Amino acid sequence: MNEVRYEYLKRICELVDAGEQLVLVSSDYAAPVLDDFKVAHKERYVSVGIAEQNLIQVACGLTLSGQRAVAYGMAPFPCIRTFDQIKNAVAL
């Protein structure tokens, strides 16, 4: 599992390094690759803490303002804990 997580985050780092205008919104504190990303691209990183509901809200707000946001958190939390935010704030 950690290998998949590392490769996923590594690919996001590579995309931003190559010039992709992505903003990484994260509710994960435990990935060392995030430390490197935060240093190299602090203007492209938003941490919402361990708050998956806020993760979706912030990512949607960035997207609605014209940014390209990637919402990242440890499964299953972004899938399960964000249903109300997706229903009430995003879909409505």
Side-chain angles (χ1 to χ4, degrees):
M1 177 68 174
N2 283 336
E3 291 176 19
V4 172
R5 175 175 140 197
Y6 176 77
E7 289 300 321
Y8 178 80
L9 292 171
K10 183 178 155 191
R11 182 65 181 139
I12 291 173
C13 292
E14 290 170 355
L15 289 170
V16 173
D17 287 340
E20 288 287 331
Q21 297 297 307
L22 300 174
V23 178
L24 178 60
V25 185
S26 176
S27 63
D28 184 8
Y29 279 111
V33 70
L34 284 177
D35 296 334
D36 298 336
F37 189 88
K38 288 186 275 189
V39 170
H41 305 288
K42 64 181 175 183
E43 72 285 353
R44 300 244 163 246
Y45 179 77
V46 177
S47 175
V48 297
I50 303 171
E52 289 78 11
Q53 296 91 339
N54 290 338
L55 172 73
I56 295 302
Q57 296 283 92
V58 171
C60 288
L62 287 166
T63 300
L64 289 171
S65 70
Q67 300 287 321
R68 291 181 59 204
V70 175
Y72 173 74
M74 291 293 291
F77 304 112
C79 300
I80 303 300
R81 296 187 45 90
T82 60
F83 286 143
D84 286 337
Q85 281 69 24
I86 292 169
K87 178 184 71 176
N88 293 327
V90 180
L92 294 178

